[in-house]
Amino acid sequence: PNPTHGWFTIQLTNWVPDVRSVVTIMDLSGKVVMETQFDADMRIDISSLESGVYFLQITHGTESFSSKLIKE
């Protein structure tokens, strides 16, 4: 859910094994505050981040998706 209190789930329907998949979370200045590799279905824990607005980028091979993420 967005906003979130501490975690969210990523589910890729077009996930291909052996293709690098990365979740990157950046603060409003563009500084990377978290980056992790993931599989087709993964729960991401952001409870250590301060409350605020972040940018979420999901990269799977050559495909990329970006979204705003609100942490309460």
Side-chain angles (χ1 to χ4, degrees), residues 33-44:
V33 295
M34 179 182 286
E35 187 170 76
T36 186
Q37 291 190 33
F38 69 97
D39 292 325
D41 186 5
M42 184 173 177
R43 182 175 167 156
I44 307 292

Side-chain angles (χ1 to χ4, degrees), residues 9-27:
T9 302
I10 295 176
Q11 296 176 317
L12 290 181
T13 56
N14 61 343
W15 184 74
V16 178
D18 300 327
V19 173
R20 187 169 189 258
S21 302
V22 178
V23 173
T24 305
I25 299 174
M26 296 163 277
D27 65 16

Side-chain angles (χ1 to χ4, degrees), residues 1-8 45-49 51 70-72:
N2 197 7
T4 181
H5 291 280
W7 63 270
F8 61 94
D45 181 1
I46 60 168
S47 60
S48 63
L49 298 180
S51 296
I70 301 170
K71 164 80 176 357
E72 292 187 333

